[in-house]
Amino acid sequence: MKLSSETIRKMMNSVKSTREQELSCGHCYDELDIFIELKLSGKNADEAMPLVKEHLDRCAACREEYEFLLLALEAMIQ
Amino acid sequence: MQTRTNEEWLSDLRGNNQNLAIEDLGRVLKRGLIYALSSRIQTDLETQVDDFVQDAILRILDKMDTFRGESKFTTWAQKVAVRVAFTEMRRQRWKDISIEDLMPEDSGDFTPMVLSDPSPNPEKRANQTLMLEMVDEMLKTDLTERQRTALMAVMHGGMPLEEVARRMDTNRNALYKLLHDARKQMRNRLIEKGLTPQEVLEVFESG
């Protein structure tokens, strides 16, 4: 198998950020509306909900949904 | 459109005002999705968003009992709508791609190691080759076939978890756990070898 350096780097970065306990995508999704409202109200969501923050840093699919949800909610506030 | 509290949303969507509440909720979700997805969807944005909103409302009515009231109802509902939209967009984007398409060349044969970006520095190149062989060995011996396939589909192929999960007859949560176990396994193996992921990363730093 041909492994590219880029794949190795991605793999090692994900191994590096691995924790014994991590939120699953489902648990992150359950908490996401609360996390995002903290963000929108200017509170420190990362500190209040570190496991959600870590999951979003690690999981590209959840992060993408989070970023677009943030945009959608901005439209609702306007 | 009238402003509603969480309780009012729930009671209207469940009660006599359901049609009006659905209409109002649809407007809220549509506005959010149009704004959020305008950079992502180039053609028929409004038609596609109308479909997402329709599916999202069905999902919301079905899952309303799981709303815990810890956020605004509309935030929760928009979260559901974004999930519905992305599930469909990802399904469309990846529909013609199989997991096998995403495996690196010579898939199934984990032995020959070839660097795709050779370093000009011979010493660095030699270190990279050694590390590649070690990672290759880890993938081959410390991970299960399923872990290896999922890891390569996500890391090498860039396929979203839910799409990998669909193809592997599992779900996003179970796949996340499978990959979490694989990462822990790799981390522990590195520790046994007296290495940290950072040390491996440094060997592959560009320049």
Side-chain angles (χ1 to χ4, degrees):
Chain A
M1 175 174 73
K2 291 180 184 177
L3 282 173
S4 70
S5 299
E6 195 200 333
T7 303
I8 299 260
R9 274 196 292 265
K10 273 191 202 165
M11 224 178 260
M12 285 303 130
N13 271 317
S14 73
V15 172
K16 187 178 158 186
S17 68
T18 296
R19 301 280 174 269
E20 208 49 42
Q21 300 295 327
E22 294 181 4
L23 282 193
S24 67
C25 295
H27 280 118
C28 179
Y29 179 77
D30 288 344
E31 305 292 327
L32 195 61
D33 44 331
I34 306 161
F35 181 84
I36 217 157
E37 282 195 351
L38 285 174
K39 279 265 175 198
L40 288 169
S41 65
K43 297 199 177 107
N44 193 336
D46 297 354
E47 205 169 271
M49 304 175 81
L51 291 179
V52 174
K53 202 273 179 201
E54 278 178 21
H55 184 90
L56 294 175
D57 286 344
R58 192 179 292 116
C59 177
C62 289
R63 187 169 60 250
E64 187 175 46
E65 289 172 32
Y66 160 72
E67 285 166 357
F68 279 81
L69 177 58
L70 205 53
L71 278 177
L73 294 174
E74 279 169 13
M76 282 164 63
I77 293 164
Q78 281 169 13
Chain B
M1 188 184 84
Q2 72 179 93
T3 314
R4 292 178 175 86
T5 63
N6 284 356
E7 290 70 29
E8 285 165 345
W9 272 116
L10 293 173
S11 68
D12 284 357
L13 285 168
R14 285 183 180 126
N16 295 331
N17 292 325
Q18 193 186 46
N19 287 345
L20 181 62
I22 285 176
E23 213 175 286
D24 287 346
L25 184 61
R27 259 199 296 273
V28 170
L29 300 181
K30 183 172 176 175
R31 185 176 171 193
L33 286 186
I34 291 260
Y35 181 78
L37 299 177
S38 58
S39 63
R40 179 63 70 97
I41 298 176
Q42 311 305 333
T43 52
D44 293 332
L45 173 66
E46 190 156 347
T47 314
Q48 289 200 56
V49 165
D50 282 340
D51 289 345
F52 296 152
V53 168
Q54 213 171 355
D55 290 349
I57 284 177
L58 291 176
R59 175 82 62 89
I60 288 161
L61 292 174
D62 187 43
K63 300 279 179 194
M64 220 154 51
D65 290 343
T66 67
F67 174 61
R68 304 189 307 230
E70 292 170 301
S71 65
K72 284 185 198 152
F73 178 76
T74 46
T75 304
W76 178 82
Q78 192 75 69
K79 175 181 79 170
V80 175
V82 167
R83 168 60 60 92
V84 165
F86 271 90
T87 300
E88 184 53 28
M89 288 192 299
R90 287 172 183 148
R91 194 196 294 263
Q92 282 298 321
R93 157 78 179 78
W94 293 90
K95 68 179 165 39
D96 297 325
I97 300 167
S98 72
I99 285 210
E100 291 70 33
D101 294 336
L102 300 174
M103 292 299 114
E105 283 178 53
D106 306 320
S107 183
D109 177 3
F110 277 76
T111 43
M113 301 302 303
V114 180
L115 280 167
S116 62
D117 44 356
S119 162
N121 175 338
E123 191 188 343
K124 188 168 186 177
R125 175 105 200 252
N127 280 337
Q128 288 183 342
T129 305
L130 275 174
M131 284 296 181
L132 273 168
E133 281 171 2
M134 185 205 66
V135 173
D136 177 61
E137 183 67 17
M138 270 170 47
L139 291 173
K140 198 167 54 178
T141 57
D142 296 319
L143 302 189
T144 64
E145 177 72 35
R146 231 173 134 68
Q147 285 175 323
R148 204 159 46 225
T149 301
L151 195 72
M152 294 316 291
V154 173
M155 298 279 169
H156 184 77
M159 186 179 266
L161 254 57
E162 71 215 72
E163 288 300 307
V164 178
R166 198 195 320 280
R167 286 158 179 78
M168 292 179 72
D169 293 323
T170 181
N171 61 53
R172 187 160 158 176
N173 276 339
L175 188 75
Y176 188 88
K177 184 174 184 318
L178 182 89
L179 289 169
H180 183 208
D181 288 343
R183 287 187 278 112
K184 284 196 288 191
Q185 187 77 9
M186 289 173 79
R187 184 193 57 189
N188 293 342
R189 194 79 183 104
L190 284 175
I191 291 170
E192 281 172 24
K193 289 174 181 290
L195 282 166
T196 64
Q198 183 58 35
E199 284 167 323
V200 181
L201 274 168
E202 280 162 13
V203 172
F204 290 97
E205 268 174 4
S206 38

